[in-house]
Amino acid sequence: MRKLIEFRNIVKSFDGQVVLKGVNLNIYENEFVTLLGPSGCGKTTLLRILGGFLEQDEGTVIFDGQCIDKVPAYKREINTVFQRYALFPHLNVYENIAFGLRIKKMGNDIIAQKVNRMLSLVNLTGYEKRNVTKLSGGQQQRVAIARALVNEPNVLLLDEPLGALDLKLRKEMQRELKRIQQEVGITFIFVTHDQEEALTMSDKIVVMNAGEIEQIGTPLEIYNEPANAYVARFIGESNIVDGVMLDDYKVRFDDKNFECVDFGFRKEEPVDVLIRPEDLAVVKPKDGVLRGEVKNVIFKGVHYELMVETKTGTKKTVQMHVVTQHDLTNAQAGEKISANDFYVDSDDLENKEMTDQDFISIANAQAWDEEDRDISLTRVSHNIEKRPGIYTITFGTEKGTEVTVNVHVIHPEYVEDARHNIGISALDFFITPDEIRDSMAISTDLKTWASAEAWNLQDDSPVEITDVRFDFDPADVKEGSYDITFATRGRVYKVETTARLEVGDRVGLDFGPEDIHVMHKEVTDV
Amino acid sequence: MKSFFRMSYPYLVWIALFIVAPMIMILLYATTRSSNGVITFSFTLDNFARFFSDPTFLKVLWTSLRIALITTVFCILIGYPAALFIANLPEKRQTFMILLLTLPMWINMLLKTYAWRGILMNFDLESEVKVFIGMVYDFLPYMIIQIHTAIAKLDRNLLIASYDLGANRWKTFLKVTLPLSVPGIISGITLVFLPAVSSFVIPKLLGGGNYVLIGNLIETYFLVAGDWNFGSAISLIMALIIIASMYLTKKLDRSTVEEG
């Protein structure tokens, strides 16, 4: 195949923001090339530079052996199908398609011939006189394609042309576009953020990220042998786990050694290991290479998508004391008042200004009158010190209704999990059966009541607590003490299976050496 | 709904009192003849016959239409490039320019016209040219704003698409920008031509005493001659011409859009 377009070290920035960081790319004749990447990765900018609508800051574009940097857009033998079609609203379908030919001052009979051929290519014969603004999205799309192709360009640029269509129409247009490309036999450069679109249509996919090309390859290469975790995540569903390359064909992850088909890594090189969800087979626990528990099941139509946890996360268990509260009545004022004992972290007293309002909310202190109307608590007095110990706090209303509860200042032990780099903390707490019964989202409320938090030990960024375990029935809880365990996400594998499983099932996961793909770690610039 | 409707009652009364009633009176005056100040309701079309049979009146009508037409053409010729220029400025500058344009509209028209009279006195120009200068000056902002609005709301991607299809800047202007700004030109015409036909202050002040337009004619018959019947008839003829031309421009507007 002949090389048609060559981007040489293209650099482009907008307002100091570098959008393209030196892109090199060759595109050949008759290829269907897809520029794939998330929005803002620079794919549309690259397309616009080729179309002549933007000028690069550095680098050269070679088209058919000639440098076209100084050639204005209207002189380039390239045509574009725009994102929102950009059809001329004052012209009908026929005149829209004929636009480029009229500019070239072709004869009416030749124009008619060419336009009619295009209309039948895009299946719009009979639509000549229609008003383009009254056409459906799919039809407008076809007019836009015909309007570009009628000029017989060497290259057709398509800037996310299917983005505005609904799913069914999009699939139809994908097939249609592929057919048109094969029929006219010219180079199509297609820009999209939709990986499925890229996989189904392209001869070659260029995966872009943050102004750089991550990988260039056929759809099969990109899917089966992604260059790095970024590409693997972007194309298809993936499980990516940290591993260490022990030797050629030997990789260690999830505390086990595995055989693989990859080689050429440094010894002991930290790597990303990719296993596609469809390559994991669900088997009996004893038969699996890995064992775990089903945490989540989603029905996807053809298959189920399971989340299987093979290793639990970092956890912390606390005690929940369920006590029935006795409201104190101030008959004279016609008021009632209640509050809970509570625990406070001595570090919080040290580091945060705890206000009276904070104490009121932790103690769940409230007062109300005979008609059940809330009364504000205007007086709070306490002898709390920062040292661990038991103190008292008194809440009172304007009319002198008061309640006194115990405050346990403690220095809780954090669980620090150096292997996962995660710290987690939670406090014991007091609660009434009523509050548990009234809870709409018990897991979330338990996290709040226990002040449960998890964080990254390195940078202190918060880590989500995904698991809250308890063994009481929230609808029918009795007084007493209960264990509550909070845990972060462990090692979870996404699995696609047709087998029907329930959350909580123990399963084994099986896979072979060829299902493992080892990738170099991304060099992340910090 | 009903209570909202009730809120429009004062407005309806206003319309009835100050728009509908005078119109009926004009119609009445135009189709009757007066005798010694007492209106006798005898129907006649004499007033109309008098207007159309007298070449002097027809000449005045023709001059009015001609001046309005030429004013409009000049407004388009000056206004379009100005609007195009403004529409290509950065957004903030556009707002500022539009503000500058509307600024003179805050000044009383009479005052501006007197100012022009003072300025033009120093030049030896034909009175008709002076009238054109005054009229174009007064009506130009309406034209520019209308055209600017049409150009500004034009989808930039259409221009890019036109370049993409091989049209250079000039061809893009001719084939995309211009046709798509026609609605703006049409509404500009409506805002310029119609008031220009019936304007009488500018021609009177800038054109010298002997320069008579249809607006002046009406003014004269009502205020100077006291012939309300004939004045009404001229007003009615004017109104009909205006309605007819409004209808025509509307139709033209629609046909350019539907031409598709």
Side-chain angles (χ1 to χ4, degrees), chain A residues 53 74 79-80 82 86-92 99-100 103 147 151, chain B residues 157-158 160-168 171 175-176 179-180 260:
Chain A
F53 311 119
Y74 68 90
N79 288 108
T80 310
F82 294 91
L87 298 180
F88 302 117
H90 58 299
L91 302 176
N92 62 22
F99 191 92
I103 297 288
R147 183 179 70 173
N151 302 292
Chain B
N157 286 322
L158 295 180
I160 294 180
S162 169
Y163 301 143
D164 183 77
L165 293 166
N168 57 22
K171 278 189 178 157
K175 294 207 146 228
V176 182
L180 285 174

Side-chain angles (χ1 to χ4, degrees), chain A residues 196-360:
Chain A
E196 196 215 312
E197 219 162 82
L199 288 176
T200 42
M201 295 197 290
S202 323
D203 296 321
K204 184 156 103 185
I205 296 177
V206 179
V207 184
M208 293 185 68
N209 178 33
E212 286 175 307
I213 293 176
E214 294 281 348
Q215 189 173 5
I216 302 173
T218 65
L220 222 56
E221 281 165 1
I222 300 261
Y223 189 83
N224 288 334
E225 286 145 45
N228 53 40
Y230 175 82
V231 177
R233 274 198 206 99
F234 205 80
I235 308 269
E237 300 284 339
S238 55
N239 294 300
I240 295 165
V241 283
D242 287 332
V244 174
M245 203 64 186
L246 301 172
D247 206 340
D248 281 354
Y249 312 115
K250 233 179 209 107
V251 64
R252 180 176 178 80
F253 63 89
D254 229 346
D255 303 330
K256 284 200 177 80
N257 296 346
F258 295 94
E259 301 228 332
C260 63
V261 294
D262 302 88
F263 58 93
F265 291 79
R266 277 185 290 114
K267 281 215 166 132
E268 299 293 320
E269 180 180 336
V271 289
D272 284 321
V273 177
L274 166 73
I275 305 174
R276 295 285 182 192
E278 67 273 19
D279 292 336
L280 286 168
V282 178
V283 293
K284 290 201 182 97
K286 65 176 166 52
D287 300 332
V289 196
L290 292 170
R291 273 168 284 277
E293 186 190 320
V294 177
K295 301 295 272 184
N296 195 6
V297 180
I298 298 170
F299 179 56
K300 289 267 190 175
V302 183
H303 62 266
Y304 292 94
E305 186 185 284
L306 312 180
M307 299 302 265
V308 176
E309 191 180 67
T310 57
K311 207 163 271 313
T312 50
T314 310
K315 48 185 165 181
K316 161 88 185 170
T317 303
V318 298
Q319 288 239 299
M320 174 177 78
H321 306 289
V322 179
V323 285
T324 310
Q325 195 92 74
H326 294 291
D327 310 332
L328 294 177
T329 311
N330 180 350
Q332 213 179 349
E335 291 178 349
K336 285 186 176 184
I337 192 162
S338 81
N340 295 346
D341 290 356
F342 60 93
Y343 287 89
V344 186
D345 183 344
S346 57
D347 278 1
D348 282 352
L349 291 171
E350 195 82 47
N351 301 330
K352 290 192 242 181
E353 259 328 291
M354 298 283 278
T355 64
D356 288 352
Q357 279 308 319
D358 290 333
F359 288 128
I360 289 174

